[in-house]
């Protein structure tokens, strides 16, 4: 009986002894990919840029060039001037990449030789035989 008790105790003791190890640490999750700018966000950023330059703006077009660039185009108006403003934004960082700004003042020609539309005749274009 003693022998059975000793064997039982040894079996019980060997089974109860557990070696605990902490599980290996999980690798950190990958950084989240930044979310691309939406159409509405691109247009709003464009309007903010246009207004900050002192123009009254009317949206002409907004589209995405490739995967990373939003191009937003405006008709731009200022007192006595008009033209266009084209803006390129990075779709992920939302930074302004390029500006194409062509807003020019309207010219008024007050010469006496104006035609009915109020404009002068301007320079001759081309070459005529009688000019030689």
């Amino acid at each position: 009986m003693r022998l059975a008790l000793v064997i039982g105790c040894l079996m019980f003791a060997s089974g109860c002894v557990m070696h605990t190890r902490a599980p290996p640490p999980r690798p950190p999750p990958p950084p989240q990919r930044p979310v691309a700018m939406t159409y509405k966000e691109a247009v709003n950023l464009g309007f903010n840029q246009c207004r900050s330059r002192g123009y009254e703006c009317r949206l002409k077009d907004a589209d995405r060039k490739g995967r990373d660039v939003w191009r937003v185009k405006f008709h731009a108006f200022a007192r006595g001037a008009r033209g266009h403003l084209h803006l390129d934004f990075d779709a992920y960082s939302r930074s302004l990449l390029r500006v194409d700004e062509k807003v020019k003042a309207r010219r008024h020609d007050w010469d006496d030789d104006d035609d009915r539309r109020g404009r002068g005749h301007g320079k001759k274009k081309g070459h005529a035989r009688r000019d030689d």
Side-chain angles (χ1 to χ4, degrees):
M1 181 108 159
R2 280 188 184 175
L3 185 60
L5 186 61
V6 172
I7 292 175
C9 285
L10 286 174
M11 290 181 74
F12 181 70
S14 67
C16 289
V17 175
M18 300 174 90
H19 295 287
T20 56
R21 289 193 335 195
R26 291 184 177 168
Q32 290 184 348
R33 180 179 169 118
V35 178
M37 190 170 17
T38 62
Y39 172 87
K40 189 174 182 178
E41 192 176 355
V43 170
N44 286 338
L45 280 174
F47 270 117
N48 290 341
Q49 282 289 323
C50 196
R51 288 186 195 119
S52 71
R53 296 169 189 275
Y55 301 131
E56 183 180 323
C57 309
R58 193 173 75 226
L59 181 64
K60 182 178 178 183
D61 186 27
D63 60 344
R64 202 161 166 184
K65 287 178 36 182
R67 297 179 65 193
D68 299 337
V69 178
W70 273 98
R71 173 167 283 169
V72 185
K73 300 176 183 177
F74 292 98
H75 294 288
F77 306 95
R79 181 174 221 144
R82 66 179 177 187
H84 72 261
L85 178 66
H86 296 177
L87 305 164
D88 287 354
F89 293 101
D90 185 280
Y92 293 98
S93 70
R94 287 145 177 85
S95 60
L96 184 62
L97 300 175
R98 189 175 73 86
V99 177
D100 179 16
E101 179 179 0
K102 292 191 178 155
V103 180
K104 296 182 180 178
R106 297 178 190 156
R107 292 192 297 167
H108 297 285
D109 193 4
W110 300 102
D111 292 341
D112 290 333
D113 57 70
D114 290 348
D115 61 0
R116 284 182 279 153
R117 292 175 299 199
R119 297 186 187 118
H121 294 287
K123 295 171 88 177
K124 293 182 183 176
K125 294 186 170 62
H127 178 73
R129 201 173 341 150
R130 64 182 176 274
D131 289 343
D132 291 336

